[in-house]
Amino acid sequence: MKISVGFSEDDLRRLSGHRSFVRGQGYRDAVSCLEVEDGWFSARVQGTEDYAVEIAVDGAGALSGACDCPYGQEGNFCKHCVAVGLAVLTRASDVPLQRSAAASRAKGLAQWLDSLPREELLALVREQVERDRELRRRLELRAATARGDDPVVRERVRALLDPAPFASYGYVEFADAHAYGQQASEAVTALRTLIADGRAALAVTLSREAMAALHRAYEDIDDESGSVGSVAQELAEAHLEACRAARPDPLETAEWLVRHLLGSEYDVFDADPVDYREVLGTDGLARLRQLATEAWRRKPSGWAEKHLMERLVKAAGTVDELIAVYAADLSPTGDTHLAIARELDAAGRPDEALEWAERGLRELAETHRGGSGLEDYLCERHAEEGRPARATAVRRDGFRVRRSLAAYRLLRECARAEGTWERERPAALELLREDAARSGPSWYGGPVLIDALIDDGDLGAAWRTAAEGHAASHQWLTLADLVREDRPADALPVYLSLIDPLKKITGDANYQRIARLLLGARECHRNLGTSQEFADYVAALRAEQKRKRNLMKVLDQHGL
């Protein structure tokens, strides 16, 4: 009888990805201290360091994992999680008994604690408080909150947000950011306890102080995993909850909110001013709008100022007011022109929308031509309204400015829809031909002309252009792959020439490239009826590269 632990190897592979799954297989024997509970498994995995891992299966069968390695702290199901999962699957037959034993232990512990006299239980708690500083900090804060000792609550909240215990040389590194985030989250718990205990006014003040303290600390934290940023958002949410409960002065709250949203804290704390409507009331909202407008007029190009104004106007203003905000600082990328056009469309003013889009196209910086959102919008409008020639003209102008493969494809798509591609194509290719002649030989990107000819399926012209000496290696490889069935004698020298420079390079990724080229060469030899010649070539290559053991393994894996 097959025993289920709630997940399979396929679940591990799907959640981790192929790379982490394969690497996790190599760590299966590094798993130790495996513990089984109802719905979760924990263990230690010896990697670069000794990592703590926990994987869990919820009631709906969803698998999740957590590991304190750097990759795991980013929220990924890492190779160590895979290793623990594989270890559990290997020992699946033991899992029911271990779960039963864990349940029995938990029940026994609960019964024992219930049976202890009050003094013994208090002694046990005091013993743990002495040993566990983190537990002591949490209990001190809860005790101060319960007895209404505001100075101690404020001091403990500040202490929880102090990064000094986690900082090396004044900086909290990536590996320590998660632990700091866990400690800081206790401040959020304390604030919500205050709110629940009817002391929301104090929670308003402390949450603002906490956000300011966390912002100062955040500048010196490597928060790539986002764990500290999550605490910042929880603090902001706690502040809003406290305001809803305490109903502080609406004018003062509006002034604080503008300072908060326009200050440097905005890099860490995001908030929607509209969420504060019921807290601010009519007077507070008017003050908020007044202060936001004044700040925006002083600095119309400021990102935070624009964002705040846009949000307020979208919530309670007119489309013309919103357009005024956008128009005060038009972007050379065309994004603001496009935003205006879409707002006008939504307001049922399509003619004005088209005018703004066409103005944006005229003002669009050259670096953003050949596939911008503004061009996409105009082409869609022209096509929908029966103006295919104008749509093609937009793509043609974009391609002439930015002669990329993407711009070529867009022009082709539009011209085909109009039925004029056969007329457009020669001129477009001539422009790319001029670019190729100017750029000369390339071993990196290669001329767009070759990519365009390949994309058109014009392999003969693409091969001739490549033979003129301008193609990059990746373009030659693409061509060889495409013609090897019909022209193996032409494709074979390409594969062999691409292998030669790789012989001097080490590394598994390079070895995989060699194997991939050899497979292409083998296919050519098969089509030519010269398989023995290929076998001799591989034998010579193996003899020449025999000291590269990983290369030999890769060749073996591919049957070469």
Side-chain angles (χ1 to χ4, degrees):
M1 178 179 176
K2 187 174 182 180
I3 297 175
S4 173
V5 298
F7 61 88
S8 65
E9 277 197 18
D10 287 341
D11 294 323
L12 296 174
R13 185 182 289 105
R14 174 184 49 79
L15 200 57
S16 64
H18 176 72
R19 180 181 175 84
S20 290
F21 181 80
V22 171
R23 296 180 71 183
Q25 289 177 312
Y27 280 84
R28 193 190 314 233
D29 294 335
V31 177
S32 62
C33 304
L34 179 63
E35 292 188 17
V36 179
E37 297 288 344
D38 187 20
W40 59 269
F41 309 86
S42 65
R44 310 292 301 184
V45 179
Q46 185 62 49
T48 308
E49 299 178 14
D50 189 34
Y51 296 116
V53 180
E54 182 175 308
I55 61 175
V57 184
D58 65 19
L63 179 66
S64 61
C67 177
D68 59 1
C69 75
Y71 189 60
Q73 287 185 31
E74 294 180 14
N76 298 297
F77 197 88
C78 65
K79 61 188 177 184
H80 307 113
C81 292
V82 171
V84 172
L86 293 173
V88 171
L89 291 171
T90 300
R91 308 171 199 179
S93 59
D94 299 331
V95 168
L97 183 60
Q98 289 176 298
R99 280 178 172 162
S100 176
S104 178
R105 290 194 302 270
K107 182 179 179 180
L109 175 60
Q111 291 175 340
W112 177 67
L113 289 173
D114 288 340
S115 70
L116 287 178
R118 180 176 183 276
E119 290 304 319
E120 286 188 40
L121 192 58
L122 288 174
L124 182 61
V125 172
R126 292 190 184 100
E127 179 185 341
Q128 293 303 311
V129 167
E130 288 297 322
R131 292 181 177 180
D132 190 333
R133 288 187 300 172
E134 184 178 341
L135 175 62
R136 183 171 69 251
R137 282 194 297 265
R138 292 201 300 266
L139 294 182
E140 284 173 347
L141 181 55
R142 292 188 183 186
T145 303
R147 67 175 182 267
D149 192 338
D150 296 353
V152 173
V153 172
R154 175 176 274 109
E155 186 276 329
R156 285 289 80 198
V157 167
R158 288 176 177 172
L160 289 169
L161 295 168
D162 181 6
F166 303 89
S168 301
Y169 309 105
Y171 185 79
V172 180
E173 296 181 349
F174 175 82
D176 299 312
H178 182 67
Y180 171 71
Q182 287 182 314
Q183 174 179 295
S185 68
E186 287 295 323
V188 180
T189 301
L191 292 169
R192 287 187 165 136
T193 301
L194 287 172
I195 297 168
D197 289 346
R199 303 172 66 205
L202 177 60
V204 170
T205 301
L206 290 185
S207 60
R208 294 182 185 181
E209 293 177 3
M211 284 189 278
L214 187 57
H215 169 255
R216 291 192 296 271
Y218 198 78
E219 296 177 357
D220 297 315
I221 298 173
D222 181 355
D223 189 35
E224 187 177 348
S225 66
S227 56
V228 181
S230 296
V231 175
Q233 293 311 307
E234 290 175 6
L235 275 175
E237 292 166 7
H239 175 264
L240 178 57
E241 291 172 20
C243 286
R244 285 171 172 165
R247 296 303 173 104
D249 179 78
L251 298 183
E252 186 278 333
T253 301
E255 291 165 4
W256 175 86
L257 191 57
V258 170
R259 289 196 305 272
H260 169 67
L261 294 175
L262 300 186
S264 54
E265 289 95 337
Y266 198 73
D267 293 335
V268 188
F269 300 96
D270 196 3
D272 189 340
V274 178
D275 290 339
Y276 283 80
R277 278 179 297 194
E278 63 178 284
V279 175
L280 296 172
T282 303
D283 292 342
L285 283 171
R287 181 62 173 158
L288 179 67
R289 178 72 179 267
Q290 175 194 351
L291 294 172
T293 302
E294 291 172 357
W296 169 67
R297 286 175 176 165
R298 286 193 301 269
K299 191 178 179 182
S301 61
W303 183 89
E305 287 79 3
K306 286 193 295 184
H307 182 79
L308 177 55
M309 277 301 297
E310 287 170 18
R311 188 68 191 94
L312 291 173
V313 172
K314 283 182 179 179
T318 66
V319 66
D320 290 308
E321 288 177 307
L322 183 58
I323 289 171
V325 175
Y326 285 130
D329 184 48
L330 293 170
S331 169
T333 66
D335 290 345
T336 40
H337 297 82
L338 179 59
I340 290 171
R342 295 202 184 283
E343 292 293 342
L344 287 167
D345 275 333
R349 295 156 64 177
D351 292 342
E352 293 175 72
L354 187 60
E355 289 176 9
W356 267 102
E358 290 179 335
R359 171 185 167 180
L361 192 61
R362 291 192 299 271
E363 298 174 359
L364 192 63
E366 287 191 3
T367 52
H368 298 283
R369 290 303 305 266
S372 69
L374 198 58
E375 290 176 351
D376 294 343
Y377 170 85
L378 279 167
C379 287
E380 289 171 9
R381 281 289 304 271
H382 290 320
E384 288 171 359
E385 296 172 15
R387 299 186 295 269
R390 290 181 66 178
T392 302
V394 170
R395 294 305 191 194
R396 184 190 305 121
D397 291 342
F399 172 72
R400 285 174 176 172
V401 173
R402 192 176 187 185
R403 301 172 193 178
S404 65
L405 178 61
Y408 180 83
R409 285 171 170 167
L410 290 170
L411 173 59
R412 182 179 63 197
E413 178 185 5
C414 223
R416 279 179 174 169
E418 187 193 356
T420 59
W421 178 233
E422 293 306 315
R423 186 169 69 247
E424 290 282 347
R425 183 173 183 261
L429 291 177
E430 184 57 33
L431 290 175
L432 295 180
R433 194 168 286 109
E434 292 172 5
D435 291 346
R438 281 195 298 269
S439 63
S442 170
W443 289 98
Y444 178 61
V448 175
L449 174 61
I450 295 175
D451 293 329
L453 291 169
I454 291 173
D455 208 58
D456 283 340
D458 193 348
L459 300 183
W463 191 277
R464 288 192 298 273
T465 303
E468 293 173 2
H470 302 324
S473 58
H474 73 89
Q475 292 175 319
W476 272 119
L477 179 57
T478 299
L479 282 168
D481 288 342
L482 291 170
V483 306
R484 70 186 180 204
E485 289 295 324
D486 299 324
R487 299 165 56 185
D490 291 330
L492 179 58
V494 173
Y495 291 119
L496 299 182
S497 67
L498 293 175
I499 289 172
D500 283 338
L502 299 181
K503 295 177 183 178
K504 302 174 184 178
I505 305 172
T506 59
D508 289 348
N510 184 66
Y511 299 153
Q512 292 291 346
R513 285 192 288 270
I514 291 175
R516 183 244 196 277
L517 293 168
L518 285 171
L519 291 172
R522 182 172 68 183
E523 188 66 24
C524 290
H525 276 291
R526 284 176 177 171
N527 292 333
L528 291 167
T530 56
S531 294
Q532 184 56 50
E533 185 177 331
F534 175 74
D536 294 340
Y537 176 84
V538 173
L541 176 67
R542 279 179 168 273
E544 178 187 353
Q545 304 285 314
K546 62 183 179 182
R547 292 186 178 180
K548 297 176 181 176
R549 289 178 293 178
N550 285 349
L551 173 58
M552 298 300 107
K553 290 179 182 178
V554 170
L555 297 182
D556 289 340
Q557 290 170 358
H558 290 279
L560 294 165

